[in-house]
Amino acid sequence: MDDSMEHLPLNATASWKFPRTDSAHTLIPLSTIPTAVDHNGHGHGHDHDHDNDAAETDLTDAAARWLKRSEPTYRPISERRLRFESRRPTWLRECIAEAIGVFIFVLCGISSITSFTLHQSDDLGVTAFGSIFQIGWAFAVGVAIAVITCGPTSGGHFNPAITLAMAFWQDFPWRKVPYYIFSQILGGFTAALLVVCMYYTKFQHIADELIAAGKPLVGGGSPASCLAPMPHDDQTLGYVFAAEFFSDAFIGLAIWAALDPANPFIQPAGLPFVIGLAYASMIWGFGSLTLSTNLARDLGPRMVAAIFWGREAFTDHSYAPIGMLVNVPATLLATAVYELCMCDSFAIIAKGHARHRDGEEGLYRHMSRCGMLDEERGYLQHVTTHRD
């Protein structure tokens, strides 16, 4: 190593300069870079005039330009595209987003269930193709992807019970409720139809084996149970109802807490994953007891199961009404508990996420009635006194 480099000041690199370029891909000749700085501060490389200093930038700027070379570039947006997007019906975009969102998370979930169920008789064993743990993660990831993909367009309900709760507790228009619910059921139906098409050969093979053995095609562990939950023979309706109600209430409470804008423990970017984990935790805990959690996830796939394996998909063990409908009152109860017991509306107003229905005058009356303004005046007087 050169003797001058051994005595290079620690901040010597800060004085190195790169000529500014218009393109991040332009190579900078090594000959233009000073090699070192001596003890008197004079460079041993090429001399640079003061006139060229304005056209130079330091290493940090050069590194930043180098990193930007891989950033995607977007072509200019034409007026034609803007006009097209402005003419799209809002309600149609929202319905399509709801259908696609349900399609995504139902597809992820029931395809994992199908892989787990249909390969139980394989030589590799069922554990080679999945488990309740994997199924829980499949639903969790599916929910997160659905919210990230479609949530910005429709609000990311993906559950008729959540849509009803939004209309009841929030400002969601009741006139949109039927459109949302229909779209959600359609998304679940389409996802189940795709799974049957993808696994059709395997489904047929299992169905032939069950028919030859004199066993039903609908029931726990049957092909139909891959699409819609089916209870086992040793499960009573009361037992299944309790598991379904508690799980749905838990998920509804978690969703409502995650959506609370005054909740300091969650940021919008983390919301999809919190909701996904809420679903997964209930599947891990109660999935083996027969669990639906969502009307759209149950009714749409159950219709597909009825098309391929008979109407027993709706009559087996009289479970269908529990799987389809229990999540609605459970979710409404959970959201009611949160709204009435844990929601802090004043904090939501104070953080700027909402306003008083009567405007500033109404907020003033509330703060006066609760003594908040008197406390504020006392605090200001105390601060002023000590300042003087």
Side-chain angles (χ1 to χ4, degrees), residues 24-53:
H25 299 282
T26 303
L27 296 178
I28 301 174
L30 293 176
S31 60
T32 64
I33 304 175
T35 56
V37 179
D38 62 16
H39 297 291
N40 296 322
H42 300 293
H44 295 295
H46 292 270
D47 293 332
H48 297 279
D49 296 331
H50 293 290
D51 295 339
N52 294 332
D53 289 343

Side-chain angles (χ1 to χ4, degrees), residues 334-365:
T335 55
V337 169
Y338 191 90
E339 287 285 341
L340 300 177
C341 301
M342 290 181 280
C343 183
D344 188 349
S345 297
F346 183 78
I348 296 175
I349 295 175
K351 292 185 177 183
H353 297 291
R355 62 180 182 84
H356 196 285
R357 180 172 294 179
D358 297 330
E360 292 295 320
E361 182 180 351
L363 183 60
Y364 177 82
R365 288 198 304 268

Side-chain angles (χ1 to χ4, degrees), residues 147 258 266-273:
V147 174
I266 183 170
Q267 298 298 321
L271 189 145
F273 307 101

Side-chain angles (χ1 to χ4, degrees), residues 163-357:
T163 299
L164 291 171
M166 284 289 185
F168 191 82
W169 294 111
Q170 302 297 331
D171 199 25
F172 187 75
W174 280 99
R175 60 182 174 80
K176 290 186 177 182
V177 170
Y179 302 114
Y180 266 55
I181 293 178
F182 174 80
S183 302
Q184 292 157 1
I185 295 173
L186 178 62
F189 178 90
T190 308
L193 193 62
L194 179 61
V195 169
V196 172
C197 293
M198 299 297 291
Y199 280 93
Y200 185 76
T201 302
K202 187 68 176 179
F203 274 128
Q204 284 295 99
H205 178 69
I206 298 295
D208 292 340
E209 290 183 350
L210 291 175
I211 293 174
K215 296 181 180 180
L217 299 178
V218 175
S222 67
S225 68
C226 297
L227 307 183
M230 304 283 178
H232 295 279
D233 294 334
D234 59 346
Q235 292 178 321
T236 63
L237 291 182
Y239 182 76
V240 174
F241 176 89
E244 183 71 38
F245 191 92
F246 172 79
S247 300
D248 297 341
F250 177 90
I251 294 172
L253 189 66
I255 291 174
W256 225 242
L259 293 175
D260 186 353
N263 190 337
F265 297 104
I266 183 170
Q267 298 298 321
L271 189 145
F273 307 101
V274 171
I275 296 176
L277 287 175
Y279 271 93
S281 62
M282 290 298 97
I283 293 172
W284 293 331
F286 303 102
S288 61
L289 305 181
T290 307
L291 196 62
S292 172
T293 73
N294 189 326
L295 190 157
R297 174 262 177 274
D298 188 284
L299 178 56
R302 195 175 294 275
M303 293 168 63
V304 176
I307 292 173
F308 284 92
W309 297 292
R311 61 182 182 180
E312 290 80 7
F314 282 94
T315 60
D316 182 67
H317 289 79
S318 301
Y319 168 77
I322 295 177
M324 291 186 295
L325 302 177
V326 168
N327 67 92
V328 175
T331 302
L332 291 177
L333 176 62
T335 55
V337 169
Y338 191 90
E339 287 285 341
L340 300 177
C341 301
M342 290 181 280
C343 183
D344 188 349
S345 297
F346 183 78
I348 296 175
I349 295 175
K351 292 185 177 183
H353 297 291
R355 62 180 182 84
H356 196 285
R357 180 172 294 179

